[in-house]
Amino acid sequence: MDVGGTSVRAGVVDGDGAVLDTARAATPSGEEALEEAIGAAVAELAGRHRVSAVGLAVAGFVASDRRTVRFAPHLAWRQAPVAERISRRVGMPVVLEHDANAAALAEHRFGAARGAGVAVLVALGTGIGGALLVDGEVFRGAHGVAPELGHLRLVPGGRPCPCGKNGCWERYCSGTALSSTAVELLARHPGMSTVMAREALGDYRAITGRRVAGAARDGDPLAQRAMADLARWLGDGLALVADVYDPEVVVIGGGVSESAPLFLDDARERYAAVVTGAGHRPLARIRTAQLGDDAGIVGAATLARDVAGRPARDARAR
């Protein structure tokens, strides 16, 4: 399972990282409803495939033992023994992993970070997930919550974040941020985009990040300006990441990465211009995730396969 702030996605994955079958539902707001949705997705796929274990890639702080969700800004769990609860519900072993860690492991094994000694994954979705791999091993920090890149404060006193701070990177560089930027631009410049005004029809909640990206692809000036803003903030954030970790490769994943042709070249240029020592140091390769939005699913499946203790050639559900 890839359990994010917007959707709960499940899949069956083979030993080569190919997704064989999927199920999906909107993310419920309460704990009980969320766990019911997870159980229902597992049951749906288990009805079509032989399932031995479940892996959950979670958008939140996962304890070092990978059994407990400590905190998830976009989910209902708080210090919750999620692995135990889901295991009771589905009747099989369950392991948790931070969603970005799961995606990074998948990309290191099958995709864009293959062979990299130091790799960072930045997953742009509802928020920002981050992961750091050193020689193929996940760096978790002392308490299992590192690196929480999405909550680096880039703008003191900036947009409020569900984590409780203001000005976090993900408030300016994510699918949610893309929507917020478009709404702010439309409020200031109502004549800039008839397309976005028509999308809103008086209700700005209709302006989603996905719709902004679609409008940008179609040449809408307001949507393109919102995308340029995202590119700038992505470049600024990547420069901070490079200052701290000096990675060999940065993989850009998550749902927003599907629109990478609209922003990634500009983000690379911004990163190269503002990183400390610009022009006098090697730069990280910045690549899009080869596994796309399925990276978290594939990583969770790999972990579940390890838990099940079955040969890698067998297909497993996460």
Side-chain angles (χ1 to χ4, degrees), residues 142-168:
H143 305 102
V145 301
E148 195 60 37
L149 301 179
H151 299 287
L152 294 173
R153 180 175 285 164
L154 263 65
V155 185
R159 293 172 179 167
C161 182
C163 78
K165 296 193 297 185
N166 293 80
C168 292

Side-chain angles (χ1 to χ4, degrees), residues 75-87:
L75 299 171
W77 290 317
R78 298 290 184 271
Q79 297 294 342
V82 173
E84 179 182 345
R85 289 180 187 172
I86 301 299
S87 182

